[in-house]
Amino acid sequence: MERADAPAPAAWRNLIVATIGFTLTFWAWDLIAPLGSDYHDRLGLTSVQQSLLVAVPVLAALLIRDRPDRAVPAGSLGQRLASAGRLRVTWELSALYAIGFGGIVAFGVYLPTYLRTGYGLTPTDAGTKAAGFALLTVIARPFGGWLADRVHPAVVTAGALAFVALLAIVQAFDPPLDPVGTVCLLCIAAGLGTASGSVFALVSQVTPQPQVGSVTGIVGAVGGLGGFVPPLVMGAVYSARGSYSIGFMLLSDLALAGCVYAYVRMRTVRGGAG
């Protein structure tokens, strides 16, 4: 029987990483979503959220173990992060993850407002559709990791972002919500979730092995922070123009740029590149 602390089979490694990301994303969404809704006090946490804040660290301490042959990195935390920050791939991956996961965070914060303002939905209807968007993003994330086990992660990322770019253009023309707008938004959710899963799979392939952990931390932080910029842009654009079309076209441009960069540059990078 395989030991509990044995490394995961290579064919399943990206799926396992993406599934962990799926769980954390779903948990984070439960914390973030009330910030953009009218249902809860903006600083309050439900009993489920409070339970998760306690349960997740406890489960991590009980179940997660390092590989027995793991090399312990030398140097302080600051030195390791500074070294990772000097790698070009750190910021390339951060930019790609900011598009994928940052887009998920942005829609989580702003989608209910967009549906109420752009389509005149009630807060309840807007919240229900936003929940469907959230569910699809977290389901698509393990799919991105699974696909990256079988196809180069850069190709998966490029394909997912190309899909997002195409659907964002369609949504920019303010199609009727039923069915075209709903389909577009759900497809964007699937594309962003797939891209965020495949980018994490890409980290281990293009990063020097001793620095994978530090790079992953920086990439995850930048991706999360990147999600709070688009809502500000969308709000400013709507205030100035009375339309969300420009915001969706900007999303399309950004996703297309990420698609081209992932396919042309990241597909050729190897783990020893700086």
Side-chain angles (χ1 to χ4, degrees), residues 147-163:
L147 201 56
D149 285 325
R150 288 148 181 82
V151 185
H152 195 291
V155 176
V156 178
T157 302
L161 292 179
F163 189 58

Side-chain angles (χ1 to χ4, degrees), residues 11 57 102 118 149 232 246:
D149 285 325
L232 300 177
I246 296 176

Side-chain angles (χ1 to χ4, degrees), residues 35-263:
L35 300 178
S37 72
D38 296 323
Y39 299 114
H40 310 291
D41 180 86
R42 286 177 178 266
L43 297 179
L45 296 177
T46 66
S47 57
V48 173
Q49 293 164 343
Q50 293 171 3
S51 299
L52 286 170
L53 284 172
V54 175
V56 171
V58 171
L59 288 174
L62 292 175
L63 301 178
I64 297 177
R65 295 289 183 271
D66 290 328
R67 288 176 51 169
D69 59 342
R70 182 181 75 93
V72 179
S76 66
L77 172 63
Q79 290 173 331
R80 296 200 301 272
L81 289 178
S83 177
R86 288 192 290 269
L87 295 174
R88 175 178 172 177
V89 293
T90 300
W91 305 107
E92 292 171 325
L93 293 165
S94 295
L96 292 174
Y97 195 62
I99 299 173
F101 184 69
I104 294 173
V105 175
F107 272 102
V109 172
Y110 205 74
L111 186 57
T113 300
Y114 167 66
L115 293 173
R116 291 199 305 267
T117 306
Y119 287 101
L121 297 187
T122 64
T124 301
D125 288 341
T128 301
K129 289 188 179 295
F133 184 98
L135 181 61
L136 194 52
T137 60
V138 293
I139 291 174
R141 184 170 178 137
F143 173 74
W146 173 84
L147 201 56
D149 285 325
R150 288 148 181 82
V151 185
H152 195 291
V155 176
V156 178
T157 302
L161 292 179
F163 189 58
V164 170
L166 176 62
L167 274 299
I169 292 174
V170 176
Q171 190 62 33
F173 287 93
D174 298 321
L177 187 60
D178 294 320
V180 180
T182 298
V183 171
C184 281
L185 290 172
L186 291 178
C187 287
I188 289 172
L192 292 173
T194 301
S196 64
S198 61
V199 169
F200 258 100
L202 188 59
V203 172
S204 62
Q205 291 200 12
V206 302
T207 305
Q209 195 61 37
Q211 296 174 293
V212 167
S214 299
V215 171
T216 300
I218 295 173
V219 169
V222 172
L225 291 174
F228 292 98
V229 176
L232 300 177
V233 175
M234 292 287 276
V237 168
Y238 186 80
S239 298
R241 299 291 182 179
S243 171
Y244 292 107
S245 297
I246 296 176
F248 276 101
M249 291 304 295
L250 290 173
L251 171 62
S252 175
D253 293 342
L254 197 60
L256 185 59
C259 162
V260 173
Y261 198 88
Y263 189 81

Side-chain angles (χ1 to χ4, degrees), residues 11-27:
W12 294 93
R13 195 167 298 144
N14 292 330
L15 175 60
I16 292 169
V17 171
T19 302
I20 294 172
F22 160 92
T23 306
L24 294 177
T25 302
F26 199 81
W27 174 51

